[in-house]
Amino acid sequence: MGYAFISYSSKNQASADAMRELFKRHKIDTWMAPYDIPAGSEYAEVLYDALTGCSCLVLMLTNVSQNSQWVKKEVNIAITNGKTIIPVKLEDILGILAGRKSKFLWL
């Protein structure tokens, strides 16, 4: 089995950490910055490789994350590569996934 890429804004770090721990308890592998970025590596390149290699992208969706340039890039790479996106709505917003609501499993 592959791994879940957790996409989030650093301002939502506590929620992302909690999701990562939940996955770990259920023996689901994850990839999450900054934990899985090797020291001295090229950030964008490592993110791209992690996204193209993941089974799905878990999007921690908040007002802050929907305005994050990195989160937008991660979602676009996931969509371009046909990855399943699982939005976890932490706030009542639709944002960057507007117009695509029927293509996602909303949590």
Side-chain angles (χ1 to χ4, degrees):
M1 183 171 135
Y3 55 89
F5 183 106
I6 300 175
S7 179
Y8 68 102
S9 165
S10 59
K11 293 179 180 165
N12 303 122
Q13 185 75 50
S15 295
D17 286 341
M19 180 63 69
R20 183 173 181 247
E21 287 303 314
L22 176 67
F23 282 9
K24 284 174 90 173
R25 283 196 305 270
H26 291 279
K27 305 208 182 321
I28 298 170
D29 292 331
T30 61
W31 192 100
M32 187 172 133
Y35 306 111
D36 295 304
I37 298 178
S41 63
E42 178 62 38
Y43 193 82
E45 184 177 312
V46 172
L47 281 177
Y48 183 83
D49 290 345
L51 282 160
T52 58
C54 71
S55 297
C56 65
L57 179 138
V58 177
L59 174 60
M60 307 299 287
L61 189 56
T62 65
N63 190 51
V64 174
S65 70
Q66 76 172 355
N67 292 308
S68 164
Q69 292 304 311
W70 281 107
V71 171
K72 288 178 185 177
K73 289 176 187 179
E74 292 164 3
V75 168
N76 285 332
I77 291 168
I79 289 170
T80 299
N81 286 278
K83 302 300 178 178
T84 299
I85 298 177
I86 304 170
V88 179
K89 289 176 70 173
L90 302 177
E91 297 173 1
D92 189 23
I93 58 170
L94 183 56
I96 59 177
L97 300 177
R100 301 178 183 152
K101 187 174 182 179
S102 64
K103 296 181 183 179
F104 303 98
L105 170 64
W106 292 88
L107 301 177

